[in-house]
Amino acid sequence: AQSVSQHNHHVILSEAASLELGCNYSYGGTVNLFWYVQYPGQHLQLLLKYFSGDPLVKGIKGFEAEFIKSKFSFNLRKPSVQWSDTAEYFCAVNPNTGFQKLVFGTGTRLLVSP
Amino acid sequence: DAGVTQSPTHLIKTRGQQVTLRCSPKSGHDTVSWYQQALGQGPQFIFQYYEEEERQRGNFPDRFSGHQFPNYSSELNVNALLLGDSALYLCASSVRTGTYEQYFGPGTRLTVT
């Protein structure tokens, strides 16, 4: 079945550690890719997106993601996390069928300890 | 500029009842999508509306229905509520022609007892 997989359900890091969250999808063809973040008590916010062009995309708050088409992956990275990055992170795919449906992964809960 | 708003914030209903949730899109947006987020899961697509018609539907039964009004606001209706319908219901708005960025509201927490 077509799906989006996030391998890490819970991640615990110390401040200044590097972060990489995995995301793989099983859709063929052209896709649009997104990472959303949900801070405690807040609604989902767009972190970054990929539609075409440079496969390395930069988002807000120092986050970046790399699209590797051959691996069907769109991993999220940050060189040095802060306590304020504690949140839940969702990878989402738009299968680009002409509609805007997003298919989400199950999310990764990140806890950054000071 | 107001973002996506949803009402009510919380709702408690009894099994078998019907519920209506409301959403106002971000200013300038003409497309509304609804998602269901169960505890510990990612959001699941229910359906999408633009030009006052349902354009795409996810894998949800006919008990879930919706409506979009001329001002682009939208309602989600769920009939014959089941315990399994307890979830956070998210509304997202976007521009039909554009980069498909969806902006999410805070959600409505529905509890079915």
Side-chain angles (χ1 to χ4, degrees):
Chain A
Q2 296 176 320
S3 65
V4 178
S5 300
Q6 291 183 243
H7 317 294
N8 314 101
H9 298 291
H10 292 90
V11 173
I12 301 174
L13 294 173
S14 299
E15 275 193 317
S18 64
L19 170 72
E20 181 161 2
L21 301 182
C23 174
N24 286 89
Y25 61 93
S26 61
Y27 295 90
T30 304
V31 294
N32 299 319
L33 300 162
F34 305 82
W35 275 96
Y36 280 85
V37 59
Q38 190 167 30
Y39 297 104
Q42 297 187 26
H43 57 274
L44 276 168
Q45 301 172 39
L46 182 65
L47 205 51
L48 48 78
K49 61 186 184 289
Y50 173 80
F51 289 86
S52 63
D54 188 344
L56 185 62
V57 294
K58 296 190 183 300
I60 61 173
K61 304 186 180 186
F63 285 91
E64 63 180 31
E66 184 176 13
F67 169 52
I68 303 179
K69 188 174 182 179
S70 61
K71 294 185 177 180
F72 296 88
S73 70
F74 190 55
N75 292 353
L76 180 70
R77 299 195 292 248
K78 187 171 183 178
S80 175
V81 295
Q82 301 174 312
W83 176 79
S84 58
D85 292 324
T86 294
E88 189 156 19
Y89 294 80
F90 293 93
C91 179
V93 175
N94 166 247
N96 201 11
T97 57
F99 296 98
Q100 298 184 7
K101 167 185 174 179
L102 289 177
V103 180
F104 283 84
T106 53
T108 296
R109 200 173 288 273
L110 172 65
L111 175 63
V112 180
S113 57
Chain B
D1 176 23
V4 180
T5 60
Q6 293 185 243
S7 63
T9 305
H10 295 87
L11 205 51
I12 300 174
K13 289 287 189 178
T14 302
R15 193 170 43 183
Q17 286 188 316
Q18 177 263 345
V19 68
T20 298
L21 311 181
R22 296 176 176 82
C23 170
S24 290
K26 182 178 168 65
S27 177
H29 286 186
D30 57 5
T31 299
V32 173
S33 303
W34 287 93
Y35 293 81
Q36 179 195 66
Q37 187 177 14
L39 206 59
Q41 300 295 318
Q44 286 199 332
F45 177 78
I46 302 175
F47 42 53
Q48 183 177 90
Y49 279 82
Y50 65 89
E51 295 181 350
E52 301 179 48
E53 290 191 19
E54 182 182 301
R55 299 296 179 171
Q56 193 181 21
R57 190 178 183 92
N59 189 25
F60 279 81
D62 292 344
R63 298 187 297 108
F64 289 77
S65 62
H67 189 77
Q68 186 180 35
F69 299 93
N71 66 354
Y72 307 120
S73 67
S74 177
E75 287 182 350
L76 164 66
N77 301 292
V78 187
N79 294 323
L81 284 167
L82 304 174
L83 296 179
D85 294 332
S86 295
L88 181 68
Y89 288 85
L90 298 170
C91 170
S93 74
S94 55
V95 178
R96 174 67 186 101
T97 55
T99 57
Y100 289 9
E101 287 184 37
Q102 294 189 22
Y103 291 77
F104 284 81
T108 294
R109 173 74 62 187
L110 172 65
T111 302
V112 182
T113 62

